[in-house]
């Protein structure tokens, strides 16, 4: 018997800025990703120095055409349908709807595009799961207001959210507000802020921007429920438990503190108020937030479920000397770097592979919030090779099946799980590196790191494997 509930939402996940391309089509405004170069031209550096980066002409920008989902979506959704997807997580590009963020009326061409896209999903019985902001705040708002550092963004986001909730009332029921909202503290430019690196007290600006997003997220949740009481709105955390490097209490504390950095956001989105530990953190870092009475009211509009991405766990130490010594040996991972974990393997990009960690992470989150969880990102970024027009990606199948097994165990632990949408169900541009060669998909896209290729689609072996997984409701792994 399958451990997964009958209505379990199997699917996949993509995001506008990494999938669609067509960065100026239909009146679209630009977003932050449109200014980031590929890895060879220093994408990581640019993410930390956006002021410098936006002035440069890098020649090639991976997001501008991406995998051309804007023109291929019918073909792609048909293939998702063939795999039996019950849902598709995708994002609406805010600058497609409000090119500068401040227009009086939404851009009809942008709205129409998503209308057609959602219709296409429903043709195959695929329920859209829609992220309102996946690294996609209109660039004009970065330039004019330093993005989310400004309170102005709250109202502008509300307008945008209201426009799409009303427009897609009959077509979309599942929403997520901000993708990996905790990214603001790690990669502020991706999260929606501009000038943080030169600031005297960067954390002051980051937490103020976070506050504005949290209020905006709560107000969007309120509107979603008013527009349609059946709407389900989730928050979205870049998750992954932090393990202590040893059983030294200092290490335990360091791990707890790092996890709280992310839980800070979700505590507010789920509980409707600031967590008690935030006072001490603000005091330690000399942070004084502008929080108004109306904000406290707004925050009371809490989410219906907790969405999260999971790629790996991380390891922390409270020993400052050791931390410094190991700095250069740290391994990359989804937004956070980590000390090595000697018990676990790593991917070609150095990310720790830890399926059991998914069960641990989900149990922690559920114990904390007792809300349904939705695994809205998980997956293996790997190089694929084509042999005789085939791609034998058994490594991807192994990664995903072990993680799905962990989700099944978590369900047996008593955790409510709504669904599972592996990241990049079709190959797309990597957020962290801008590479095409870091592939996650069941569907291969013919495109390389420099933007050359036909963008033709090709099924990988994992395509038929996932189809079987869905057909058996997670039994046949
Ligand atoms: P990639 C980096 C920067 C921003 C978001 O990551 C990230 C990461 C991870 O390095 O996290 C999420 O493409 C994000 C997706 C992203 C995915 O992880 O760097 O929500 O947009 O593509 C995977 O391999």
């Amino acid at each position: 018997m399958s451990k997964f509930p009958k209505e379990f939402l199997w699917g996949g996940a993509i995001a506008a800025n990494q999938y669609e391309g067509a960065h100026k089509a239909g009146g679209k405004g630009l977003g932050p990703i449109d200014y980031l170069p590929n890895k060879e031209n220093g994408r990581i550096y640019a993410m930390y120095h956006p002021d410098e980066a936006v002035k440069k002409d890098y020649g090639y920008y991976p997001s501008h055409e991406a995998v051309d989902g804007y023109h291929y979506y019918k073909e792609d959704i048909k293939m998702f349908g063939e795999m039996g997807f019950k849902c598709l997580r995708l994002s609406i590009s805010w600058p497609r709807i409000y090119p500068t963020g401040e227009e009086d009326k939404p851009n009809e061409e942008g709205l129409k595009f998503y209308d057609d896209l959602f219709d296409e999903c429903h043709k195959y019985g695929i329920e859209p799961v829609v992220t309102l902001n996946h690294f996609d705040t209109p660039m004009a708002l970065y330039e004019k207001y330093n993005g989310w550092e400004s309170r102005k963004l709250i109202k502008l986001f509300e307008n945008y959210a209201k426009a799409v909730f009303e427009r897609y009332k009959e077509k979309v029921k599942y929403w997520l507000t901000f993708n990996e909202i905790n990214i603001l503290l790690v990669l502020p430019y991706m999260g929606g802020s501009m000038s943080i690196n030169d600031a005297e007290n960067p954390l002051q600006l980051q937490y103020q921007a976070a506050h504005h997003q949290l209020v905006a997220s709560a107000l969007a949740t309120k509107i979603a429920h008013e527009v349609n009481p059946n709407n389900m709105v989730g928050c979205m955390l870049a998750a992954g438990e932090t393990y202590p490097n040893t059983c030294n209490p200092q290490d335990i504390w360091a791990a707890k503190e790092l996890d709280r950095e992310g839980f800070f956001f979700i505590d507010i989105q789920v509980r409707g108020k600031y967590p008690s530990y935030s006072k001490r953190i603000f005091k330690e870092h000399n942070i004084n937030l502008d929080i108004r009475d109306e904000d406290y009211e707004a925050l009371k509009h809490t989410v219906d479920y907790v969405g999260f991405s999971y790629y790996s766990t991380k390891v922390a130490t409270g020993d400052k000397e050791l931390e410094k010594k190991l700095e250069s040996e740290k391994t990359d991972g989804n937004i956070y770097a980590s000390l090595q974990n000697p018990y676990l393997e790593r991917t070609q990009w150095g990310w720790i592979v830890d399926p059991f960690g998914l069960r641990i992470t989900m149990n922690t989150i559920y114990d904390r919030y007792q809300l349904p969880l939705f695994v809205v990102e998980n997956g293996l970024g790997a190089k694929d090779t084509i042999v005789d027009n085939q791609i034998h990606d058994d490594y991807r199948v192994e990664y995903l099946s072990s993680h799905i097994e962990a989700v099944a165990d978590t369900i047996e632990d008593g955790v409510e799980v709504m669904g599972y949408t592996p990241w990049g169900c079709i190959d797309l541009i990597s957020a962290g590196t801008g590479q095409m060669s870091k592939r996650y998909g069941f569907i291969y896209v013919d495109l390389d790191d420099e933007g050359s290729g036909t963008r033709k689609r090709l099924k990988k072996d994992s395509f038929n494997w996932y189809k079987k997984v869905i057909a058996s409701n997670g039994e046949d792994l």
Side-chain angles (χ1 to χ4, degrees), residues 373-390:
L373 306 188
F374 199 151
V375 192
V376 296
E377 275 184 42
N378 171 233
L380 173 71
K383 288 183 184 149
D384 290 325
T385 34
I386 306 183
V387 182
D388 295 334
N389 225 25
Q390 295 186 343

Side-chain angles (χ1 to χ4, degrees), residues 149-360:
E149 290 163 48
S150 163
R151 175 169 283 273
K152 283 231 163 63
L153 278 267
I154 297 175
K155 184 75 200 143
L156 297 170
F157 185 78
E158 252 188 282
N159 293 345
Y160 157 59
K162 189 158 187 282
V164 297
F165 290 148
E166 282 175 351
R167 175 77 171 218
Y168 307 124
K169 195 177 159 190
E170 311 295 329
K171 299 184 185 181
V172 181
K173 181 178 154 204
Y174 297 99
W175 300 89
L176 292 155
T177 56
F178 290 84
N179 181 62
E180 296 190 332
I181 189 163
N182 49 322
I183 207 168
L184 256 179
L185 300 180
V186 191
L187 291 167
Y189 180 67
M190 303 292 269
S193 280
M194 188 70 184
S195 60
I196 279 159
N197 276 294
D198 303 324
E200 203 176 298
N201 184 2
L203 279 178
Q204 162 75 33
L205 298 180
Q206 277 161 285
Y207 275 103
Q208 188 65 54
H211 175 69
H212 295 146
Q213 284 193 355
L214 289 161
V215 172
S217 170
L219 289 171
T221 307
K222 172 174 180 264
I223 301 167
H225 290 147
E226 284 165 2
V227 171
N228 182 356
N230 291 327
N231 271 336
M232 292 278 287
V233 186
C235 51
M236 201 304 206
L237 170 75
E241 188 103 355
T242 308
Y243 300 149
N245 194 39
T246 71
C247 53
N248 183 332
Q250 300 264 6
D251 288 355
I252 312 285
W253 184 250
K256 197 183 202 38
E257 287 266 276
L258 189 57
D259 278 343
R260 272 181 171 171
E261 212 182 282
F263 285 140
F264 163 81
F265 293 86
I266 312 306
D267 285 353
I268 296 170
Q269 290 174 299
V270 170
R271 298 172 181 155
K273 57 182 175 37
Y274 271 73
S276 48
Y277 57 81
S278 57
K279 262 203 189 127
R280 179 199 29 101
I281 292 171
F282 292 162
K283 201 164 147 213
E284 271 171 18
H285 297 285
N286 202 12
I287 294 163
N288 290 296
L289 296 188
D290 171 19
I291 306 182
R292 313 215 172 139
D293 286 346
E294 74 236 41
D295 298 351
Y296 290 114
E297 278 310 302
L299 291 177
K300 289 180 185 158
H301 298 277
T302 55
V303 293
D304 304 309
Y305 67 96
V306 177
F308 65 93
S309 63
Y310 177 84
Y311 294 89
S312 37
T313 46
K314 44 199 183 293
V315 180
T317 173
D319 179 339
K320 294 279 169 263
E321 286 305 304
L322 183 71
E323 167 108 47
K324 237 192 266 153
K325 214 176 99 199
L326 295 179
E327 192 59 44
S328 61
E329 287 165 39
K330 273 193 174 174
T331 180
D332 273 347
N334 177 262
I335 79 175
Y336 295 98
S338 166
L339 299 183
Q340 310 270 3
N341 187 327
Y343 300 97
L344 299 169
E345 304 279 312
R346 290 184 295 144
T347 72
Q348 289 164 330
W349 271 264
W351 295 20
I352 292 167
V353 177
D354 185 6
F356 201 150
L358 175 55
R359 180 175 174 189
I360 295 169

Side-chain angles (χ1 to χ4, degrees), residues 14-28 63-77 91 93 96-97 107-117 120 426 455 457:
I14 54 178
N17 72 84
Q18 292 165 263
Y19 170 72
E20 288 174 8
H23 73 303
K24 285 183 176 168
K28 181 185 174 293
S63 73
H64 288 190
E65 293 181 51
V67 294
D68 200 19
Y70 193 76
H71 297 108
Y72 274 88
Y73 72 92
K74 287 192 180 167
E75 191 176 310
D76 296 342
I77 292 171
S91 72
S93 158
R96 241 186 233 298
I97 310 299
N107 170 28
E108 180 55 33
E109 265 193 272
L111 288 171
K112 179 79 175 48
F113 170 69
Y114 293 105
D115 256 323
D116 295 347
L117 200 154
E120 207 59 28
I426 178 165
R455 295 192 170 77
R457 279 51 176 160

